[in-house]
Short mmCIF file of all heavy atoms in Angstrom, two decimals:
data_model
loop_
_atom_site.label_atom_id
_atom_site.label_comp_id
_atom_site.label_asym_id
_atom_site.label_seq_id
_atom_site.Cartn_x
_atom_site.Cartn_y
_atom_site.Cartn_z
N VAL A 62 1.90 -5.40 14.25
CA VAL A 62 2.15 -5.52 15.69
C VAL A 62 2.27 -4.15 16.34
O VAL A 62 1.70 -3.89 17.41
CB VAL A 62 3.42 -6.35 15.95
CG1 VAL A 62 3.80 -6.31 17.43
CG2 VAL A 62 3.21 -7.80 15.52
N TYR A 184 -16.40 -20.32 7.11
CA TYR A 184 -17.08 -21.23 6.19
C TYR A 184 -18.29 -20.53 5.56
O TYR A 184 -18.84 -19.59 6.14
CB TYR A 184 -17.57 -22.47 6.94
CG TYR A 184 -16.48 -23.34 7.51
CD1 TYR A 184 -16.40 -23.57 8.88
CD2 TYR A 184 -15.54 -23.94 6.67
CE1 TYR A 184 -15.40 -24.39 9.40
CE2 TYR A 184 -14.55 -24.75 7.19
CZ TYR A 184 -14.48 -24.98 8.56
OH TYR A 184 -13.50 -25.77 9.07
N ASP A 198 -3.78 -26.51 19.02
CA ASP A 198 -3.05 -25.46 19.73
C ASP A 198 -3.92 -24.88 20.83
O ASP A 198 -4.84 -24.10 20.57
CB ASP A 198 -2.62 -24.35 18.75
CG ASP A 198 -1.59 -24.84 17.75
OD1 ASP A 198 -0.83 -25.75 18.12
OD2 ASP A 198 -1.57 -24.34 16.62
N ILE A 222 0.61 -20.20 9.50
CA ILE A 222 1.28 -18.92 9.24
C ILE A 222 2.79 -19.09 9.19
O ILE A 222 3.37 -19.76 10.05
CB ILE A 222 0.92 -17.88 10.32
CG1 ILE A 222 -0.59 -17.63 10.34
CG2 ILE A 222 1.66 -16.57 10.07
CD1 ILE A 222 -1.02 -16.69 11.46
N PHE A 252 7.13 -4.96 33.61
CA PHE A 252 6.65 -3.60 33.89
C PHE A 252 5.73 -3.11 32.77
O PHE A 252 4.71 -2.47 33.03
CB PHE A 252 7.83 -2.65 34.05
CG PHE A 252 8.64 -2.92 35.28
CD1 PHE A 252 9.87 -3.56 35.18
CD2 PHE A 252 8.19 -2.57 36.54
CE1 PHE A 252 10.62 -3.83 36.32
CE2 PHE A 252 8.92 -2.84 37.68
CZ PHE A 252 10.14 -3.47 37.58
N LEU A 265 -7.11 -16.39 36.51
CA LEU A 265 -6.70 -17.74 36.92
C LEU A 265 -7.30 -18.11 38.27
O LEU A 265 -7.75 -19.25 38.47
CB LEU A 265 -5.17 -17.82 36.97
CG LEU A 265 -4.59 -19.16 37.43
CD1 LEU A 265 -4.99 -20.27 36.47
CD2 LEU A 265 -3.06 -19.07 37.54
N GLY A 307 5.56 -19.33 33.36
CA GLY A 307 6.64 -19.31 32.38
C GLY A 307 6.95 -17.90 31.89
O GLY A 307 8.12 -17.52 31.75
#
Side-chain angles (χ1 to χ4, degrees):
V62 172
Y184 295 120
D198 293 330
I222 300 176
F252 293 104
L265 178 61

